[in-house]
Amino acid sequence: MSLPTDLNPSLTELLALRFDPLVWLPVLAVTGVYAWRFAVARRSEEGRARWPVWRAVLFALGMVLLILATQSAATTLTLNSMALYMSRLMVLAEVVPPLLILGLPRGVAIDPRRPLGRILGVLLDPWVALAVWFAVVIFWNVPAGFNASIVTNTAGALLPALYLLSSLLVWGVVLRPLPSVQPASIGSRGWFGLLAALPMMSVAAVWLYSRQVLYTPYVAALCLWNLTPLDNQQISGWIMMLAGTPAMALAFIQLMGWLIELTDGGARPPAAKG
């Protein structure tokens, strides 16, 4: 990986776009299909109720952030700023997925007996999503996995893609956009959200409190903005912890709602006799 010519790049320089057809073409294709279906749905009153404009705005914002996180000049500086690299991964894991999922229309009906419904039912099963998410976060953040990803350059393409896809499964379970194939209560989603937050929070805590650089490629790296490799590692811990806080807060809210529902259900007065 070549050294950057400027160790103090501005935000404009970091966000300068590049073109990788393997990323741009699928993104443009998905966006085009979404825009077409949205325009068709808006022709009827029922469609407008199911698919309000704010959902399309969230979806478009998610796609823009996806492009910025994967197709900007910042992607070439993986070895020069762990904090910048982790910021990109957290955008892909904690910002883009909920925006895309919230952008889907309300009341999407999928037959759980058909092949698509069966596949989605398996992928959005809480235990499957949790296993995939744990595998991605833990394996690629232990020193051996992270070092290998940097050395083989899979950190540039494969790891961001895995973070995005596995996080889409997790947020799909939490937000439940396809109720026909996701028979989960708000309580189980709350517990799931807390479990899903554990690996990221654990890794973030290790980065924050470690007194040495854990990853070999960063030990003697020339870092951006005159930061030391240890500074980068600690800042990355803060970034990961802060990025995971909204999801954990949502999990607590879902659990509280579930507990209130249980309490109210047990305290209902008996029906009056006629």
Coordinates of all heavy atoms in Angstrom, one line a residue, residues 85 135-156 158-159 162-163 207 214-218:
Y85 N -10.6 4.2 9.2 CA -11.1 2.9 8.7 C -12.3 2.4 9.5 O -13.3 2.0 9.0 CB -9.9 1.9 8.7 CG -10.3 0.5 8.3 CD1 -11.1 0.2 7.2 CD2 -9.9 -0.6 9.1 CE1 -11.4 -1.1 6.8 CE2 -10.2 -1.9 8.7 CZ -10.9 -2.1 7.6 OH -11.2 -3.4 7.3
A135 N -19.5 -14.0 14.2 CA -18.3 -14.5 13.5 C -17.6 -13.4 12.8 O -16.3 -13.3 12.8 CB -18.8 -15.5 12.4
V136 N -18.3 -12.4 12.1 CA -17.7 -11.3 11.4 C -16.9 -10.4 12.4 O -15.8 -10.1 12.2 CB -18.7 -10.6 10.6 CG1 -18.1 -9.3 10.0 CG2 -19.2 -11.4 9.5
V137 N -17.6 -10.0 13.4 CA -17.0 -9.0 14.4 C -15.8 -9.6 15.1 O -14.8 -9.0 15.2 CB -18.1 -8.5 15.4 CG1 -17.4 -7.6 16.4 CG2 -19.2 -7.7 14.6
I138 N -16.0 -10.8 15.7 CA -15.0 -11.4 16.5 C -13.8 -11.8 15.6 O -12.6 -11.4 15.9 CB -15.5 -12.5 17.3 CG1 -16.5 -12.0 18.3 CG2 -14.4 -13.3 18.0 CD1 -17.2 -13.1 19.1
F139 N -14.0 -12.6 14.6 CA -12.9 -13.1 13.8 C -12.0 -11.9 13.2 O -10.8 -12.0 13.2 CB -13.3 -14.0 12.7 CG -12.2 -14.5 11.8 CD1 -11.4 -15.5 12.2 CD2 -12.0 -13.9 10.6 CE1 -10.3 -15.9 11.4 CE2 -10.9 -14.3 9.7 CZ -10.1 -15.3 10.2
W140 N -12.7 -10.9 12.6 CA -11.9 -9.9 12.0 C -11.4 -8.8 12.9 O -10.8 -7.8 12.5 CB -12.7 -9.2 10.9 CG -12.3 -9.8 9.5 CD1 -11.2 -9.4 8.8 CD2 -12.9 -10.8 8.8 NE1 -11.1 -10.2 7.7 CE2 -12.2 -11.1 7.6 CE3 -14.0 -11.6 9.0 CZ2 -12.5 -12.0 6.7 CZ3 -14.4 -12.6 8.0 CH2 -13.6 -12.8 6.9
N141 N -11.6 -9.0 14.2 CA -11.1 -8.0 15.2 C -10.1 -8.6 16.1 O -9.4 -7.9 16.9 CB -12.2 -7.3 15.9 CG -12.9 -6.3 15.1 OD1 -12.4 -5.2 14.8 ND2 -14.1 -6.6 14.7
V142 N -9.9 -10.0 16.1 CA -8.8 -10.5 16.9 C -7.6 -10.2 16.0 O -7.6 -10.1 14.8 CB -9.0 -12.1 17.1 CG1 -10.2 -12.3 17.9 CG2 -9.1 -12.8 15.7
P143 N -6.4 -10.1 16.7 CA -5.2 -9.7 16.0 C -4.9 -10.5 14.7 O -4.5 -10.0 13.7 CB -4.1 -9.8 17.0 CG -4.8 -9.5 18.3 CD -6.2 -10.1 18.1
A144 N -5.0 -11.9 14.8 CA -4.7 -12.7 13.7 C -5.6 -12.4 12.5 O -5.1 -12.3 11.3 CB -4.8 -14.2 14.1
G145 N -6.9 -12.3 12.7 CA -7.8 -12.0 11.6 C -7.6 -10.6 11.0 O -7.6 -10.4 9.8
F146 N -7.5 -9.6 11.9 CA -7.3 -8.3 11.4 C -6.0 -8.1 10.7 O -6.0 -7.4 9.6 CB -7.4 -7.3 12.6 CG -7.6 -5.9 12.2 CD1 -8.9 -5.3 12.3 CD2 -6.6 -5.1 11.8 CE1 -9.1 -4.0 11.9 CE2 -6.8 -3.7 11.5 CZ -8.1 -3.2 11.5
N147 N -4.9 -8.6 11.2 CA -3.6 -8.5 10.6 C -3.7 -9.2 9.2 O -3.2 -8.6 8.2 CB -2.5 -9.2 11.4 CG -2.3 -8.5 12.7 OD1 -2.6 -7.3 12.9 ND2 -1.6 -9.2 13.6
A148 N -4.3 -10.3 9.1 CA -4.4 -11.0 7.8 C -5.2 -10.2 6.8 O -4.9 -10.1 5.6 CB -5.1 -12.4 8.0
S149 N -6.3 -9.5 7.3 CA -7.1 -8.8 6.4 C -6.4 -7.6 5.8 O -6.6 -7.2 4.7 CB -8.4 -8.3 7.1 OG -8.1 -7.3 8.0
I150 N -5.5 -6.9 6.7 CA -4.7 -5.8 6.2 C -3.7 -6.2 5.2 O -3.5 -5.7 4.1 CB -4.1 -5.1 7.4 CG1 -5.2 -4.5 8.3 CG2 -3.2 -4.0 6.9 CD1 -6.0 -3.4 7.7
V151 N -3.0 -7.3 5.6 CA -1.8 -7.8 4.7 C -2.3 -8.3 3.4 O -1.7 -8.0 2.3 CB -1.1 -8.9 5.4 CG1 -0.1 -9.6 4.5 CG2 -0.4 -8.4 6.7
T152 N -3.5 -9.0 3.3 CA -4.0 -9.5 2.1 C -4.9 -8.5 1.4 O -5.4 -8.8 0.3 CB -4.8 -10.8 2.3 OG1 -5.9 -10.5 3.2 CG2 -3.9 -11.9 2.9
N153 N -5.1 -7.3 2.0 CA -5.9 -6.3 1.4 C -7.4 -6.6 1.3 O -8.1 -5.9 0.6 CB -5.4 -5.9 0.0 CG -5.7 -4.4 -0.4 OD1 -5.8 -3.6 0.5 ND2 -5.9 -4.2 -1.6
T154 N -7.8 -7.6 2.0 CA -9.3 -7.9 2.1 C -10.0 -6.8 2.9 O -11.2 -6.7 2.9 CB -9.6 -9.3 2.7 OG1 -9.0 -9.4 3.9 CG2 -9.0 -10.4 1.8
A155 N -9.2 -6.1 3.7 CA -9.8 -5.0 4.5 C -10.4 -3.9 3.6 O -11.3 -3.2 4.0 CB -8.8 -4.4 5.4
G156 N -9.9 -3.8 2.4 CA -10.4 -2.8 1.5 C -11.8 -3.1 0.9 O -12.5 -2.2 0.6
L158 N -13.6 -6.9 1.1 CA -14.3 -8.0 1.7 C -14.9 -7.6 3.0 O -16.0 -7.9 3.3 CB -13.4 -9.2 1.8 CG -14.0 -10.5 2.4 CD1 -15.3 -10.9 1.6 CD2 -13.0 -11.6 2.5
L159 N -14.0 -7.1 3.9 CA -14.5 -6.8 5.3 C -15.6 -5.8 5.3 O -16.6 -6.0 6.0 CB -13.3 -6.4 6.2 CG -13.6 -6.2 7.7 CD1 -14.3 -7.4 8.2 CD2 -12.4 -5.8 8.4
L162 N -18.8 -7.6 4.3 CA -19.3 -8.5 5.4 C -19.9 -7.8 6.5 O -21.0 -8.2 7.0 CB -18.1 -9.4 5.9 CG -17.6 -10.5 4.9 CD1 -16.4 -11.2 5.5 CD2 -18.7 -11.5 4.6
Y163 N -19.3 -6.7 6.9 CA -20.0 -5.8 7.9 C -21.4 -5.4 7.5 O -22.3 -5.4 8.3 CB -19.1 -4.6 8.2 CG -18.3 -4.8 9.5 CD1 -17.0 -5.4 9.4 CD2 -18.7 -4.3 10.7 CE1 -16.2 -5.5 10.6 CE2 -17.9 -4.4 11.8 CZ -16.7 -5.0 11.8 OH -15.9 -5.2 12.9
W207 N -9.9 -2.1 22.9 CA -9.1 -1.1 22.2 C -8.9 0.1 23.1 O -7.8 0.7 23.1 CB -9.8 -0.7 21.0 CG -9.8 -1.7 19.9 CD1 -9.0 -2.8 19.8 CD2 -10.5 -1.7 18.6 NE1 -9.3 -3.5 18.7 CE2 -10.2 -2.8 17.9 CE3 -11.4 -0.8 18.1 CZ2 -10.7 -3.1 16.7 CZ3 -12.0 -1.1 16.9 CH2 -11.6 -2.2 16.2
L214 N -2.3 -3.4 19.2 CA -2.6 -4.8 19.1 C -2.4 -5.4 17.7 O -2.3 -6.6 17.6 CB -4.1 -5.1 19.5 CG -4.4 -4.6 20.9 CD1 -5.9 -4.8 21.2 CD2 -3.6 -5.4 22.0
Y215 N -2.4 -4.6 16.7 CA -2.3 -5.1 15.3 C -1.0 -4.7 14.7 O -0.6 -3.5 14.6 CB -3.5 -4.5 14.5 CG -4.8 -4.8 15.2 CD1 -5.6 -3.7 15.7 CD2 -5.3 -6.1 15.3 CE1 -6.8 -4.0 16.4 CE2 -6.5 -6.3 15.9 CZ -7.2 -5.3 16.4 OH -8.4 -5.6 17.0
T216 N -0.3 -5.7 14.2 CA 1.1 -5.6 13.7 C 1.2 -4.6 12.6 O 2.1 -3.7 12.6 CB 1.6 -7.0 13.2 OG1 1.5 -7.9 14.3 CG2 3.0 -6.8 12.7
P217 N 0.3 -4.5 11.6 CA 0.5 -3.5 10.5 C 0.4 -2.1 11.0 O 0.9 -1.2 10.3 CB -0.7 -3.8 9.6 CG -1.1 -5.2 9.8 CD -0.8 -5.4 11.3
Y218 N -0.1 -1.8 12.2 CA -0.2 -0.4 12.7 C 0.9 -0.1 13.6 O 1.0 1.1 14.1 CB -1.6 -0.2 13.4 CG -2.7 -0.1 12.4 CD1 -3.7 -1.2 12.3 CD2 -2.9 1.0 11.6 CE1 -4.7 -1.1 11.4 CE2 -4.0 1.0 10.7 CZ -4.9 0.0 10.6 OH -5.9 0.1 9.7

